[in-house]
Amino acid sequence: LLPGMTCQVKLRVYEKKDAIAVPAGAVFGEPADEEARCVYVQAPGAKPVKRTVKVGRQAGDKLEIIEGLAKGDVILLQQPAGK
């Protein structure tokens, strides 16, 4: 832009009030499939269970989870030992 020039700007903001967002570091890739992502879900009194998830948009250090998790699921921030 130079002095005297004008322009119009349109900003598109993504907002989804019911989105499930998790720390990006808690979502892991699958060695056999570069596209696949997973998390480890912790159930009370049980071993962590690996669950495949579908990710959406990323905002900062948070990833939107489109499929594979429900509100209230507890996930691990690191892979369990031996995984």
Side-chain angles (χ1 to χ4, degrees), residues 41-48 72 74:
V41 178
Q42 181 67 59
K47 291 184 178 182
V74 177

Side-chain angles (χ1 to χ4, degrees), residues 27-56:
V27 180
F28 306 99
E30 291 282 359
D33 184 359
E34 293 178 13
E35 301 283 323
R37 301 286 181 261
C38 69
V39 296
Y40 290 91
V41 178
Q42 181 67 59
K47 291 184 178 182
V49 176
K50 184 177 178 180
R51 191 177 296 170
T52 302
V53 294
K54 182 176 178 183
V55 298

